[in-house]
């Protein structure tokens, strides 16, 4: 019988607890050598809120930084207020959302590229931001590193920013691989655009992974723990060549009541307004 006290937290919801316990014991039985973790970054590894305030996404860190003009800030905020409700609208289909997400990311990236953002400023921009990793992040990153478990961070955020966040937190270990939107700087170190392919909330699948070489190398890692906060994160593991056990854990941060049904159908474990990595750490501790 799987005994993980963290699963008793009031933030935890499961449609089928027996099924969850079955997957966890199967992951443990197959051993740590078979395990890989695939995770989203913004609002999954980073906090959604703190002290009643929203925490920034990797994009917001740039949007709010001192290097953006007041006019630029206003335009970026207008985009956020227009497109974010569309992103999380449970009543719109993926087909409806995808082109609008491409539009949001493209317009935001164009605005950011018109500002004077220097490569050399990134570290300071992150230092001055209000970003926070979820409580328990040290144990999470360190456990995976110590046990040689590959961690794939698949993010529609800004790669340069999220890498800097985990670097400044001293947890950017060699077991980590990141796929995200990376900035394109010119020879003078000024931001000119973003590298392709564009990754948005709803194309986080193998269409944006270069012939999924990463997952091919990990073909023996047949146990997967997937961490996300959006319905779009569920396809992050599509490129995995061999899946035996997969445990999907979803952070439900916003509009909880409205989204609960869908999240419970799609994620094995749903964590409601839980700003910690306690449950994930508890499961990892048990399986190691
Ligand atoms: O890492 P993740 O895939 O979660 O990153 C995407 C998040 O960044 C989305 O949830 C979206 O709300 C946010 N975003 C933003 N500003 C943009 C584009 C996306 O805050 N311009
Ligand atoms: Mg996210």
């Amino acid at each position: 019988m799987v005994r993980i006290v963290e699963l008793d937290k009031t933030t935890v919801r499961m449609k089928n607890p027996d099924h969850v316990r079955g997957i966890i014991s199967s992951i443990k039985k197959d051993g740590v050598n078979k395990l890989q973790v695939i995770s989203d970054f913004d609002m999954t590894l980073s906090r959604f809120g703190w002290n009643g305030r929203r925490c920034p996404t990797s994009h917001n860190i740039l949007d709010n930084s001192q290097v953006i003009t007041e006019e630029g800030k206003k335009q970026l905020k207008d985009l956020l207020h227009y497109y974010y409700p569309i992103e999380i609208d449970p009543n719109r289909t993926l087909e409806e959302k995808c082109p609008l997400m491409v539009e949001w990311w493209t317009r935001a990236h164009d605005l950011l590229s018109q500002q004077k953002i220097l490569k050399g400023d990134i570290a300071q921009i992150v230092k001055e931001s209000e970003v926070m990793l979820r409580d328990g992040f040290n144990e999470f990153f360190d456990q995976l590193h110590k046990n040689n478990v590959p961690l794939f961070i698949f993010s529609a955020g800004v790669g340069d920013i999220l890498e800097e966040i985990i670097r400044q937190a001293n947890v950017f270990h060699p077991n980590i691989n990141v796929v995200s939107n990376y900035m394109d700087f010119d020879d003078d170190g000024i931001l000119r655009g973003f590298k392709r392919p564009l990754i948005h909330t709803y194309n986080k699948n193998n269409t944006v992974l270069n012939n999924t070489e990463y997952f091919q190398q990990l073909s023996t890692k047949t146990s997967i723990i997937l961490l996300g906060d959006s319905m779009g994160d569920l396809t992050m593991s599509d490129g995995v060549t061999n899946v035996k056990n997969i445990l999907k854990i979803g952070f439900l941060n916003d509009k909880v009541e409205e989204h609960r049904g869908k999240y419970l159908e799609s994620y094995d474990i749903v964590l409601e307004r839980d700003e910690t990595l306690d449950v994930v750490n508890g499961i990892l501790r048990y399986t190691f």
Side-chain angles (χ1 to χ4, degrees):
M1 174 68 183
V2 177
R3 190 78 199 107
I4 297 169
V5 287
E6 287 82 1
L7 287 176
D8 297 333
K9 278 184 80 173
T10 54
T11 54
V12 174
R13 284 189 188 249
M14 295 177 268
K15 187 182 152 206
N16 189 342
D18 290 339
H19 176 67
V20 169
R21 288 174 203 283
I23 303 172
I24 294 174
S25 62
S26 188
I27 290 176
K28 182 179 173 72
K29 195 164 135 270
D30 288 355
V32 65
N33 288 338
K34 293 277 164 82
L35 181 64
Q36 58 172 312
V37 175
I38 301 172
S39 181
D40 168 49
F41 183 77
D42 290 298
M43 311 295 116
T44 295
L45 294 179
S46 68
R47 287 182 73 117
F48 180 77
W50 187 72
N51 259 352
R53 283 169 57 125
R54 279 291 296 269
C55 290
T57 63
S58 51
H59 277 98
N60 301 155
I61 290 173
L62 285 170
D63 303 349
N64 303 336
S65 79
Q66 286 188 27
V67 299
I68 310 289
T69 60
E70 286 311 310
E71 176 60 18
K73 280 196 173 103
K74 190 191 164 293
Q75 290 173 315
L76 287 157
K77 193 139 272 145
D78 287 347
L79 290 181
L80 180 71
H81 290 153
Y82 179 75
Y83 289 106
Y84 177 67
I86 298 175
E87 180 192 3
I88 65 162
D89 187 347
N91 301 315
R92 284 187 202 239
T93 63
L94 273 185
E95 289 69 33
E96 262 178 283
K97 288 183 186 190
C98 273
L100 294 165
M101 294 300 105
V102 172
E103 213 175 87
W104 181 15
W105 263 251
T106 305
R107 291 176 72 180
H109 288 178
D110 285 349
L111 282 171
L112 289 169
S113 307
Q114 285 158 25
Q115 306 283 324
K116 281 249 150 33
I117 299 178
L118 300 175
K119 189 177 170 64
D121 288 342
I122 298 296
Q124 192 60 24
I125 289 171
V126 169
K127 233 174 243 147
E128 287 170 356
S129 77
E130 293 183 344
V131 72
M132 289 171 84
L133 293 172
R134 281 189 196 271
D135 288 6
F137 76 86
N138 264 311
E139 184 186 348
F140 172 76
F141 283 99
D142 290 347
Q143 280 201 83
L144 294 180
H145 178 225
K146 275 201 200 97
N147 290 282
N148 285 318
V149 175
L151 169 60
F152 185 61
I153 299 180
F154 198 167
S155 166
V158 182
D160 310 69
I161 300 286
L162 79 86
E163 282 196 9
E164 186 58 29
I165 295 167
I166 50 184
R167 199 173 294 123
Q168 288 184 15
N170 293 317
V171 289
F172 201 170
H173 302 308
N175 62 318
I176 298 178
N177 271 280
V178 182
V179 167
S180 185
N181 297 301
Y182 279 90
M183 299 166 121
D184 209 353
F185 296 98
D186 68 11
D187 292 343
D188 298 320
I190 302 170
L191 180 69
R192 290 298 180 217
F194 284 75
K195 295 179 180 156
R196 313 229 124 237
L198 187 147
I199 304 171
H200 59 77
T201 326
Y202 297 108
N203 69 353
K204 293 169 82 170
N205 53 48
N206 43 15
T207 62
V208 294
L209 299 178
N210 249 339
N211 57 43
T212 61
E213 197 187 316
Y214 173 81
F215 287 132
Q216 278 160 23
Q217 283 168 7
L218 296 187
S219 60
T220 58
K221 310 277 181 189
T222 49
S223 296
I224 292 122
I225 295 179
L226 178 145
L227 310 174
D229 77 292
S230 142
M231 293 300 288
D233 294 328
L234 290 155
T235 54
M236 293 191 299
S237 58
D238 279 7
V240 178
T241 43
N242 268 317
V243 183
K244 178 153 176 261
N245 315 299
I246 180 158
L247 181 69
K248 299 184 176 180
I249 305 176
F251 289 88
L252 177 47
N253 301 311
D254 205 4
K255 305 258 181 334
V256 171
E257 285 70 27
E258 218 177 303
H259 288 109
R260 181 176 290 139
K262 266 205 170 138
Y263 273 65
L264 279 169
E265 286 301 321
S266 318
Y267 282 104
D268 302 301
I269 301 176
V270 177
L271 302 172
E272 294 188 358
R273 297 192 187 90
D274 185 333
E275 293 289 356
T276 77
L277 288 164
D278 293 349
V279 170
V280 183
N281 285 337
I283 293 169
L284 290 175
R285 228 179 287 130
Y286 175 81
T287 52
F288 290 160

